[in-house]
């Protein structure tokens, strides 16, 4: 936990005795990120088969918020408000949520390869979603996916406790086991029942897709991000303490077990909400915390909000590429994030970020 009046310690430099590099002020990073996000949202809504202008988007949104009269053509207004705006806002919320979840999981487990799906959440959500899709009740997909993610979390924690003390290593191993079990069950359900259109719909969801985003999706992902994001940012000092190990964190006054499992549960709920509206989208939660920490440093009060903004911008553009680059066909957005994430991860490793991971 940071000492009052003393700047946050750069843990990456603490062992070498090097002076921590100067970082841009947090206000500058947040201001730049917010401007980039607003511009991204406005421009992304204009991109698509129907030719729209940024001014039309602004006027449509203002009219629906009661700030001015409706003067946008009805068709363009419907495209903005009913189709594209819910999709880009959902993408922004999901990108921000996955980035925050990844940063927290990497801190709690002290594992730089941890991501939001570490505890089997993605596989559990996929099983729930596939179950309702093959039954032909796609309207229940968000509920089923969230329930599957929550069931996977409970299964992981129950399995981890059977061997004795609940430790991060034991929990990760239990999560891998639950993930493989849920993945096998999902594959069996697809093999046994899925045909034709249902098979394509399932495959698209498993690779991540925001094609079905609605204002309900915005509400689910936005509410989860607001609640969980606020809690983890307020706990930034305790997350910093985990960088020194459990013993040191306890000596700094952190209730290690309670903090770790509370944060893990919250991150699991956040991830479940995101997977419920978007499917499984990889690499955002794995890569972005590392990429952003190059600019922000390791202190979570700086890392978390900047990572959220970067994740939002990244996923909006990734989804925009997914729905336009092969128009009229649409790629699953998970393919685009993987194509972006793998090279970025390789660059981070090449530049020496991996030195502390060994």
């Amino acid at each position: 936990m940071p000492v009052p009046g003393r700047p946050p310690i750069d843990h990456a430099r603490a062992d070498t005795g090097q002076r921590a590099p100067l970082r841009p002020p947090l206000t500058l990073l947040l201001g730049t990120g917010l401007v980039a996000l607003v511009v991204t949202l406005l421009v992304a809504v204009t991109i698509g088969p129907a030719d729209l202008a940024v001014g039309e988007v602004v006027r449509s949104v203002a009219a629906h918020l009661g700030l001015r009269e409706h003067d946008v053509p009805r068709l363009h207004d419907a495209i903005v408000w009913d189709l594209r705006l819910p999709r880009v806002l959902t993408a922004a919320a999901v990108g921000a949520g996955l980035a925050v979840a990844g940063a927290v999981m990497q801190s709690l487990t002290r594992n730089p390869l941890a991501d939001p799906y570490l505890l089997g959440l993605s596989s559990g959500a996929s099983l729930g979603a596939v179950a309702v899709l093959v039954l032909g009740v796609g309207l229940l997909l968000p509920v089923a996916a969230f329930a599957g993610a929550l069931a996977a979390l409970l299964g992981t924690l129950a399995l981890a406790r059977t061997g004795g003390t609940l430790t991060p290593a034991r929990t990760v191993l239990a999560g891998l086991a639950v993930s493989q079990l849920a993945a096998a069950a999902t594959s069996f359900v697809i093999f046994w029942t899925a045909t034709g259109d249902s098979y394509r719909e399932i495959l698209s969801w498993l690779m991540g897709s925001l094609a079905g985003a609605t204002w309900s999706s915005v509400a689910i992902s936005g509410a989860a991000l607001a609640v969980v994001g606020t809690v983890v940012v307020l706990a930034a000092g305790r997350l910093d303490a985990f960088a020194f190990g459990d013993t040191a964190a306890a000596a700094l006054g952190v209730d290690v077990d309670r903090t770790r499992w509370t944060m893990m549960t919250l991150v699991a709920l956040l991830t479940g909400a995101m997977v419920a509206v978007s499917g499984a989208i990889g690499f955002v939660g794995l890569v972005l915390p590392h990429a952003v920490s190059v600019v922000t440093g390791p202190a979570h009060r700086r890392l978390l909000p900047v990572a959220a903004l970067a994740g939002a911008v990244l996923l909006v553009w990734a989804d925009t590429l997914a729905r336009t680059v092969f128009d009229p066909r649409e790629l699953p957005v998970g393919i685009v994030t993987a194509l972006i994430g793998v090279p970025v991860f390789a660059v981070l490793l090449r530049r020496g970020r991996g030195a502390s991971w060994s």
Side-chain angles (χ1 to χ4, degrees):
M1 183 177 295
V3 178
R6 191 177 295 177
I9 297 174
D10 189 336
H11 307 307
R13 303 272 178 166
D15 295 336
T16 64
Q18 299 179 31
R19 182 184 298 274
L22 293 176
R23 310 286 186 185
L26 180 59
T27 51
L28 175 62
L29 293 174
L30 293 179
T32 303
L34 285 171
V35 170
L37 178 58
V38 171
V39 171
T40 292
L41 294 174
L42 290 175
V43 173
V45 173
T46 68
I47 298 175
D51 188 19
L52 299 176
V54 172
E56 285 183 300
V57 175
V58 173
R59 294 199 305 273
S60 175
V61 173
H64 281 279
L65 294 178
L67 301 178
R68 58 174 296 141
E69 295 295 327
H70 282 273
D71 59 355
V72 178
R74 182 173 299 178
L75 177 60
H76 286 189
D77 181 66
I79 291 172
V80 171
W81 190 256
D82 297 327
L83 296 178
R84 295 185 188 170
L85 188 58
R87 181 163 181 164
V88 297
L89 289 177
T90 301
V94 170
L98 292 178
V100 168
V104 175
M105 290 300 294
Q106 289 165 15
S107 173
L108 293 175
T109 62
R110 301 185 67 194
N111 180 354
L113 298 179
D115 73 354
Y117 305 132
L118 189 65
L119 302 183
L121 301 175
S122 176
S123 297
S126 297
L127 178 57
V130 167
V132 297
L133 286 174
V134 298
L135 292 174
V137 284
L139 292 175
L140 296 178
L141 190 150
V143 176
F146 185 80
L150 187 58
L153 171 65
L154 295 176
T156 294
L157 296 179
L159 180 60
R161 285 185 181 276
T162 59
T165 306
L166 194 64
T167 64
R170 191 186 300 276
T171 304
V172 169
L173 292 174
L176 290 174
V178 170
S179 178
Q180 291 300 311
L181 177 63
T186 301
S187 298
F188 176 79
V189 171
I190 294 173
F191 171 77
W192 197 258
T193 61
T195 58
D197 291 339
S198 66
Y199 180 81
R200 286 191 290 272
E201 187 178 5
I202 289 169
L203 186 61
S204 176
W205 193 89
L206 290 176
M207 293 182 179
S209 175
L210 293 159
T214 63
W215 284 108
S216 296
S217 306
V218 177
I220 293 170
S221 55
L225 176 63
V227 173
V228 177
T230 300
V231 173
V232 297
V233 168
L234 292 176
R238 281 173 282 173
L239 292 173
D240 287 340
F242 278 90
F244 298 100
D246 289 3
T247 302
L252 290 170
V254 177
D255 187 334
V256 173
D257 288 338
R258 176 177 295 180
T259 299
R260 172 175 285 122
W261 305 122
T262 299
M263 291 293 106
M264 279 192 172
T265 302
L266 288 173
V267 167
L269 295 175
L270 174 63
T271 304
M274 300 307 165
V275 173
V277 300
S278 68
I281 298 175
F283 279 95
V284 176
L286 172 62
V287 174
L288 269 180
H290 296 302
V292 169
S293 68
V294 174
V295 179
T296 64
H300 285 82
R301 71 177 185 85
R302 291 166 56 87
L303 173 63
L304 291 172
V306 177
L309 290 171
V313 171
L314 172 65
L315 196 57
V316 170
W317 282 118
D319 183 58
T320 301
L321 286 173
R323 64 182 172 84
T324 59
V325 69
F326 291 117
D327 184 62
R329 300 187 67 179
E330 181 175 314
L331 283 175
V333 69
I335 294 177
V336 179
T337 58
L339 291 173
I340 296 172
V342 171
V344 171
F345 199 64
V347 169
L348 291 172
L349 286 173
R350 184 176 179 82
R351 289 186 176 182
R353 295 291 299 170
S356 63
W357 302 355
S358 57

